[in-house]
Amino acid sequence: MSHLPPNAAALGGFCGYLYRRYPTKSAHHTSSDILTRSAQQRLYTRYKSALGFRGVKPLVLASNEHVIPLYWVFMNDNLLNFKRRQRARRIAKAKRARDAAFDAELYAQLESIDMADIEPLLSERRADDARKSAPQSIADVIEGLTQLATVGVVGATDITEALHREIILRPLGRLNEKNINKWPTGCIGRVYGGVRSLTTFVGDNMTSGMRWYNQLRPANKPVSTRLKRLINVLNGVMGDHLVRLKNPLAISMSLYDYTGQRPKAPLSGRVIILCHGLCMSYLSWENSYGDSLGRYLHDGLEGTTVLYLDYNTGRRISDNGLSLAAELQTLVTKHPDITQIDLVGHSMGGLVARSALFYARLQGDSWAQRVGNLITLGSPHHGASLERIGYYIHDLWARIPFASSFAKLGDLRSAGIIDLRYGSIREADWQSLEGRGILPPEFLHPAQLPLDIYSYFVAGTLMEEHYDARASSFLGDGLVTVASALGEAEDDEHVLFVPESHKAVFYGVSHYNLLYNERIHQQVLLWLKDNGRQVLDDDYALRGRIHSYPEHFELLW
């Protein structure tokens, strides 16, 4: 038998057909049954035009004493896919016909829609937007807590069912995907499903009833200061879940003046925006003793307006950055006489300010051109150690048998807290992932500081003296290390390049007290008063990092 090309075997069916239909000349066949060479050429031409083959090659197949002189056999693997391509063409043609029929029906329905049918939907959307922008009331708190109670019961049912399922299946060695998928159809799974359905039904109806009742009483009492702080703590812990559930307790981003009201009078000149940190509110800038950075800056900078940002700290930092960029763009559009904007952020607030600057430059927003200074107080530019420890414990707990069911409690923490793990401020760091995770630090997308603004970083440490020890640097202010607060990283790609004279370390100051420390207030005021003029000094490049020590030493536990 002759040697065949590699793809000749793929033509076995076709060659067999030719052998049966046109046998070769032998003692058992007459000359009328012979497939002549011209007939082979005509057969090749017909199939080539139908199938679109590109290459041909002479081939002779031998089998015992019978020789099949297939002189023109085209060597192409697409031969066996001929019927498959024909079927694909028929399916595509049918799909185009269905799409054309759907488009025709859609356009016909759109032509029949009257504006009177759309107006109720638009009115409902405008009312919902107005409700979100309005301050929260007692009625919103009652409605939100009702919904959270329903979600809590359903979540507790899920954890109990997962634990029950593991107790039954694991000892039998049947805790696998197949049996887990069959569990809801079983007797026990149906009972848990019924509890969830009943709880959801009752909770949804109670929430709807509260909403309708609140709409009948538009004059609702606003929440108190203490309750407002508790709502912001709840938003920091599970703010993204509140947004997903459309819970009225979810805070919308707003700007307030020193009186706690939305700015209504025309603004001009210099405006300072104070951005609070995780689980805080715009009220957190002033403590019970009356220490307030906003009031200190208002008194020290004549003709300056201080605005306080209030936002949902449980959302993604990048989402809050985009919202802040849109909020400041609206601000300068309504108040075109604003000449300069300074951003001061504590903890997460500094990351949100950086994210807003990043997206504003990316989108070409005009307000970014008016930013003069960026000051961050204890912001975890490269992540917070506490969140990393929490993530490690949660991951370890999820691997323990009979305890992994309780690991779902760790998923309650907000996406904003997850972003603090490595200080992520770009949505590209999490959009490509499933779930609510974040990329490892080596894969994070860098977001450098704008070169045309003056950036200042403040770090706190619980130590009251300057120790060049690694332990003191790691301890930091109790939540954020000194290196992370100053934007220092091991790789140059993620280092935030700030002059040494724009970095300050305050000793004997905790993370929370960065808001109220008098030495920090004085340093922030000094930077804002200077407004970048120190770069013109001859010794500017030789100035080192600022170290500030307490006047009275205390033992901090």
Side-chain angles (χ1 to χ4, degrees), residues 340-369:
Q340 180 174 333
I341 296 177
D342 297 320
L343 300 175
V344 180
H346 170 252
S347 191
M348 179 188 283
L351 301 183
V352 173
R354 281 184 53 209
S355 181
L357 282 171
F358 174 81
Y359 286 111
R361 298 302 175 96
L362 199 64
Q363 300 169 161
D365 294 345
S366 60
W367 71 267
Q369 302 175 0

Side-chain angles (χ1 to χ4, degrees), residues 216-249:
L216 296 176
R217 299 180 58 199
N220 291 315
K221 182 179 179 181
V223 297
S224 62
T225 300
R226 180 174 298 179
L227 189 56
K228 170 62 179 174
R229 294 179 186 271
L230 292 177
I231 292 175
N232 280 70
V233 171
L234 182 63
N235 275 258
V237 173
M238 52 182 305
D240 60 323
H241 298 290
L242 298 178
V243 174
R244 177 177 54 84
L245 297 171
K246 297 182 179 180
N247 193 293
L249 292 177

Side-chain angles (χ1 to χ4, degrees), residues 461-466 505-509 517 519 547-556:
T461 175
L462 298 177
M463 299 292 179
E464 295 183 338
E465 291 185 353
H466 186 191
V505 181
F506 289 84
Y507 296 86
V509 180
N517 188 272
R519 290 178 288 143
H547 295 273
S548 177
Y549 305 94
E551 296 180 359
H552 304 285
F553 294 95
E554 298 179 358
L555 184 61
L556 300 177

Side-chain angles (χ1 to χ4, degrees), residues 185-229:
T185 60
C187 180
I188 301 177
R190 292 179 184 273
V191 172
Y192 281 107
V195 172
R196 276 191 295 266
S197 300
L198 179 61
T199 304
T200 303
F201 176 77
V202 174
D204 290 345
N205 283 276
M206 291 181 60
T207 304
S208 300
M210 291 298 303
R211 186 179 299 112
W212 292 337
Y213 177 73
N214 296 335
Q215 291 176 355
L216 296 176
R217 299 180 58 199
N220 291 315
K221 182 179 179 181
V223 297
S224 62
T225 300
R226 180 174 298 179
L227 189 56
K228 170 62 179 174
R229 294 179 186 271

Side-chain angles (χ1 to χ4, degrees), residues 15 65 284 390 481 501:
C15 295
E65 72 277 5
S284 301
T481 64
S501 60

